């Protein structure tokens, strides 16, 4: 029995030694495989780094070439949809600026160095301006409004959701702009304009410059959308002007719809003119303040902004005229007094579900063509604006 037990223990030890030997061999093979994988990973990282470096060099070369175009050429590129995402922000910046284009022949290391120094200086200035908002009670109220609007800005885009990369950028851009515009500071709607600027740029300084130029460039002066009216009781002067012009265009191109809508306004004891005077607050104010960025999905909003930066506020009227053409038949078929026509959302969205009407689901390239072809012409726009200015003086 003793000999049998000793033999069993001996055989068990042999089996254990064989198992351990096999395990050691497996471990060695695994180590060798891990080492091979590490080498492959390192090679892939190096190749990816090289590819990324080459890609970034190509992007910088493309942007360097784009920087040589004039503001007018940049507007033409935006107008004709000659845009890809990596250069959209740069085209907006160039189209909104008054800087002279650089010659490709004179572009060199010194110019690149000066450009880099300018960008670094702009970033430092941006950081200083973005500290605004804590000095006075009024500033703190405005900052509170900014914080409340951050969550409402493009909630369907991951970068603008809680924890998204663009939310802190948007706050810095809005605070910086509020620091520079002491008269208006911040008004709801500016977040959509600045949000799109953040969406197409890499740096806070570039997004801030685009936002500031949209607001203050003489050709656009979009800040007048948010400023107080001369009478003191009616705000949003530029929105009121565009609303009055839109009513005149509707009377000219869609007279049946204009008469039908005026009958509906009459049943609610509202003044005639769906978009004129105080009625702008019910209807088109949101369209014009955000230039449809709060109405359309971001992909379509970017195309509308391309045209706006190329042509100015005439684009807002042209989009509105396409809207009138889309809803005319449906609205006229409704009985006078139907309150649905006073719901701005339903002019672009379906009633049953929060989805765009089929017209606006069209290919964005086709929509851009239709917007460019829609009234008013530049001559009509200028003539209506003159009439409005004269009417305000009387």
């Amino acid at each position: 029995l003793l000999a049998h037990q000793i033999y069993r223990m001996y055989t068990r030890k042999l089996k254990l030694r064989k198992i351990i030997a096999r395990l050691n061999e497996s471990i060695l093979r695994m180590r060798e495989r891990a080492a091979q994988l590490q080498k492959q990973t390192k090679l892939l990282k190096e190749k990816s780094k090289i590819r990324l470096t080459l890609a970034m060099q190509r992007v910088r070369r493309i942007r360097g070439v784009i920087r040589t175009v004039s503001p007018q050429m940049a507007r033409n590129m935006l107008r004709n949809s000659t845009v890809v995402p990596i250069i959209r922000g740069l085209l907006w910046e160039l189209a909104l600026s008054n800087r002279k284009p650089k010659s490709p022949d004179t572009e060199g290391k010194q110019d690149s160095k000066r450009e880099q120094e300018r960008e670094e200086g702009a970033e430092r200035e941006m950081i200083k301006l973005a500290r605004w908002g804590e000095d006075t009670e009024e500033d703190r109220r405005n900052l509170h409004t900014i914080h409340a609007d951050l969550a409402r800005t493009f909630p369907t885009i991951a970068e603008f959701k809680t924890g998204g990369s663009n939310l802190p950028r948007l706050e810095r851009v809005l605070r910086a702009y509020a620091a520079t515009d002491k008269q208006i500071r911040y008004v709801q709607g500016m977040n959509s304009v600045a949000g799109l600027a953040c969406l197409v740029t890499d740096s806070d300084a570039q997004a801030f410059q685009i936002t500031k130029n949209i607001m203050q460039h003489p050709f656009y002066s979009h800040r007048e959308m948010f400023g107080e009216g001369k009478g003191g009781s009616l705000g949003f002067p530029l929105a009121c002007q565009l609303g009055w012009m839109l009513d005149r265009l509707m009377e000219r191109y869609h007279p049946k719809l204009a008469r039908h809508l005026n009958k509906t306004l009459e049943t609610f004891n509202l003044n005639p003119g769906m978009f004129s005077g105080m009625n702008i607050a019910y209807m088109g104010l949101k369209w014009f303040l955000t230039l449809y960025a709060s109405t359309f999905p971001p992909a379509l909003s970017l195309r509308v902004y391309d045209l706006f930066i190329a042509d100015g506020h005439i684009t807002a009227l042209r989009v509105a005229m396409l809207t009138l053409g889309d809803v005319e038949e449906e609205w006229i078929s409704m009985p006078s007094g139907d309150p649905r026509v006073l719901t701005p959302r339903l002019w672009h969205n379906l009633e049953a579900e929060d989805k765009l009407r089929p017209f606006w689901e069209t290919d964005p390239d086709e929509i851009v063509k239709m917007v460019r072809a829609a009234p008013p012409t530049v001559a009509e726009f200028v003539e209506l604006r003159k009439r409005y200015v004269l009417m305000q003086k009387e």
Side-chain angles (χ1 to χ4, degrees), residues 335-348:
S336 297
D338 193 314
R340 282 178 291 177
V341 300
L342 296 176
T343 308
R345 189 183 69 84
L346 297 183
W347 288 62
H348 293 105

Side-chain angles (χ1 to χ4, degrees), residues 50-294:
I50 292 169
R51 286 172 185 162
L52 181 61
T53 302
L54 291 173
M56 292 304 297
Q57 287 175 353
R58 290 192 196 101
V59 170
R60 280 195 291 270
R61 282 198 297 270
I62 291 169
R63 288 179 173 173
V65 172
I66 295 297
R67 284 190 183 279
T68 64
V69 307
S70 66
Q72 185 59 47
M73 179 63 74
R75 293 186 193 112
N76 286 335
M77 292 175 72
L78 292 169
R79 191 180 292 118
N80 296 315
S81 301
T82 315
V83 185
V84 291
I86 62 169
I87 64 168
R88 174 173 269 120
L90 182 56
L91 284 177
W92 284 16
E93 184 183 14
L94 291 170
L96 289 162
S97 72
N98 292 318
R99 283 191 290 169
K100 292 182 180 179
K102 296 178 181 179
S103 169
D105 299 327
T106 60
E107 184 82 16
K109 290 184 179 179
Q110 286 295 109
D111 292 317
S112 299
K113 187 177 179 181
R114 281 196 293 268
E115 186 67 25
Q116 185 177 353
E117 289 174 353
R118 185 190 69 80
E119 290 175 358
E120 289 173 355
E123 285 290 343
R124 287 193 295 271
E125 182 65 20
M126 167 75 193
I127 292 170
K128 290 180 184 177
L129 292 172
R131 294 174 185 149
W132 169 89
E134 305 291 343
D135 295 337
T136 67
E137 185 61 31
E138 183 184 359
D139 289 349
R140 284 189 285 273
R141 282 198 301 271
N142 279 312
L143 184 57
H144 177 75
T145 306
I146 288 174
H147 287 156
D149 285 345
L150 290 176
R152 304 186 187 109
T153 308
F154 307 132
T156 59
I157 301 179
E159 293 92 331
F160 287 97
K161 292 181 179 179
T162 303
S165 59
N166 273 334
L167 269 188
R169 291 187 63 209
L170 178 58
E171 179 182 351
R172 290 193 292 269
V173 171
L174 290 174
R175 291 178 73 162
Y177 181 76
T180 61
D181 195 333
K182 297 179 181 179
Q183 182 183 358
I184 296 177
R185 294 300 191 190
Y186 175 78
V187 177
Q188 190 176 27
M190 292 180 180
N191 56 310
S192 296
V193 178
L196 284 182
C198 289
L199 204 59
V200 300
T201 57
D202 299 322
S203 73
D204 294 351
Q206 191 181 18
F208 164 67
Q209 195 60 49
I210 287 173
T211 303
K212 183 180 176 183
N213 285 343
I214 287 175
M215 294 293 180
Q216 299 181 4
H217 190 291
F219 181 68
Y220 306 95
S221 297
H222 194 66
R223 71 185 295 277
E224 293 180 16
M225 285 283 187
F226 306 93
E228 293 181 354
K230 293 179 181 178
S233 60
L234 182 63
F236 313 108
L238 183 53
C240 291
Q241 181 189 101
L242 292 178
W244 181 88
M245 294 166 72
L246 180 56
D247 274 327
R248 304 293 78 75
L249 290 167
M250 180 163 54
E251 291 167 359
R252 184 178 300 176
Y253 291 96
H254 304 282
K256 288 183 180 180
L257 179 61
R259 289 193 295 269
H260 184 77
L261 292 177
N262 283 336
K263 287 180 183 177
T264 297
L265 292 171
E266 188 178 349
T267 62
F268 290 99
N269 297 317
L270 296 172
N271 293 326
M274 179 62 74
F275 305 98
S276 298
M278 290 297 293
N279 293 345
I280 189 69
Y282 301 110
M283 284 303 303
L285 188 59
K286 193 175 183 181
W287 303 352
F288 296 146
L289 289 185
T290 67
L291 294 167
Y292 302 93
S294 59

Side-chain angles (χ1 to χ4, degrees), residues 294-355:
S294 59
T295 302
F296 295 143
L300 182 54
S301 296
L302 289 172
R303 306 303 295 273
V304 171
Y305 268 63
D306 286 345
L307 293 179
F308 165 71
I309 291 171
D311 298 321
H313 284 101
I314 192 174
T315 297
L317 290 178
R318 286 172 172 169
V319 174
M321 289 299 288
L322 285 181
T323 300
L324 295 178
D326 177 43
V327 302
E328 180 173 21
E329 186 176 341
E330 183 179 340
W331 273 195
I332 289 176
S333 67
M334 292 180 182
S336 297
D338 193 314
R340 282 178 291 177
V341 300
L342 296 176
T343 308
R345 189 183 69 84
L346 297 183
W347 288 62
H348 293 105
N349 293 82
L350 297 174
E351 186 175 14
E353 51 186 326
D354 194 10
K355 184 180 178 183

Side-chain angles (χ1 to χ4, degrees), residues 357-376:
R357 293 170 63 88
F359 178 85
W360 298 106
E361 294 283 5
T362 313
D363 178 21
D365 287 332
E366 292 300 316
I367 291 177
V368 166
K369 291 178 183 176
M370 289 187 283
V371 171
R372 290 190 62 197

